[in-house]
């Protein structure tokens, strides 16, 4: 993992104790899932989930602090990053020649039977500046940016 990827996990670990959670272990296995997911989204030009990750799209030079801040300003993303059962995380940050950046932060948040993100997510919305998106199912995606985090509660049948 790169220095920025390691920094992203370190920053996540700085926030977890505030939620009375233990720090997560850096996972090479989860990082090896995150990087191809980031690359696929970058090639597609849109965020597309590959598993259990949160996604961010922005410009090259976007710092890990800004990515984590965007996720923590979105209730659905914050929930996904602070599941009590999470013990590991891996990051993949990729950029292209035009300056676009995509980050995937893969978390083992379903490991011990916590509620999955379908319990807490709203339909997708896009906003300018930077995008974030949360793990499957696709019908329940959330999008947010550092400037705007429009998240509505899910509809119940």
């Amino acid at each position: 993992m790169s220095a920025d990827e390691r920094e992203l996990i370190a920053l996540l670990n700085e926030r977890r104790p505030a939620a009375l959670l233990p720090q997560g272990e850096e996972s090479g296995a989860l990082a090896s899932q995150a990087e191809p997911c980031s690359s696929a989204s970058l090639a597609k030009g849109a965020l597309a989930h590959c598993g259990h990750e949160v996604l961010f799209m922005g410009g090259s030079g976007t710092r890990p602090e800004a990515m984590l801040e965007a996720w923590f300003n979105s209730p659905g993303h914050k929930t996904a990053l602070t599941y009590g059962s999470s013990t590991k995380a891996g990051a993949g940050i990729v950029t292209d020649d035009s300056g676009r950046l995509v980050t995937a932060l893969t978390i083992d948040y379903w490991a011990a039977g916590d509620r999955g993100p379908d319990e807490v997510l709203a339909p997708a919305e896009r906003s300018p500046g930077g995008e974030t998106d949360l793990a499957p199912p696709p019908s329940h995606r959330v999008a947010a940016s550092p400037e705007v985090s429009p998240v509505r509660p899910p509809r119940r049948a």
Side-chain angles (χ1 to χ4, degrees):
M1 288 184 9
S2 73
D4 281 349
E5 292 163 346
R6 284 190 170 89
E7 182 180 354
L8 187 59
I9 292 170
L11 291 167
L12 174 62
N13 280 329
E14 287 177 10
R15 291 186 181 224
R16 288 179 58 87
L20 303 177
L21 298 171
Q23 293 190 350
E25 176 186 331
E26 186 179 290
S27 168
L30 292 177
S32 70
Q33 295 172 24
E35 187 170 339
C37 186
S38 295
S39 295
S41 288
L42 188 62
K44 195 181 243 188
L47 298 175
H49 285 285
C50 308
H52 302 167
E53 71 279 322
V54 293
L55 297 167
F56 178 91
M57 181 180 281
S60 65
T62 302
R63 300 296 307 140
E65 296 90 349
M67 298 170 200
L68 203 64
E69 190 67 26
W71 288 324
F72 269 76
N73 283 334
S74 167
H77 295 89
K78 182 177 180 179
T79 298
L81 293 171
T82 57
Y83 279 111
S85 65
S86 296
T87 60
K88 298 178 183 170
I93 301 172
V94 297
T95 57
D96 66 12
D97 293 336
S98 70
R100 291 182 307 154
L101 170 144
V102 173
T103 300
L105 181 58
T106 304
I107 312 103
D108 67 339
Y109 57 81
W110 283 340
D114 275 333
R115 297 181 312 146
D118 57 328
E119 300 277 335
V120 296
L121 303 182
E125 294 176 298
R126 292 193 173 269
S127 60
E131 299 177 26
T132 59
D133 203 351
L134 189 57
S139 63
H140 294 285
R141 289 187 184 165
V142 170
S145 79
E147 296 85 26
V148 180
S149 294
V151 178
R152 293 185 298 270
R155 293 182 190 176
R156 298 285 182 197

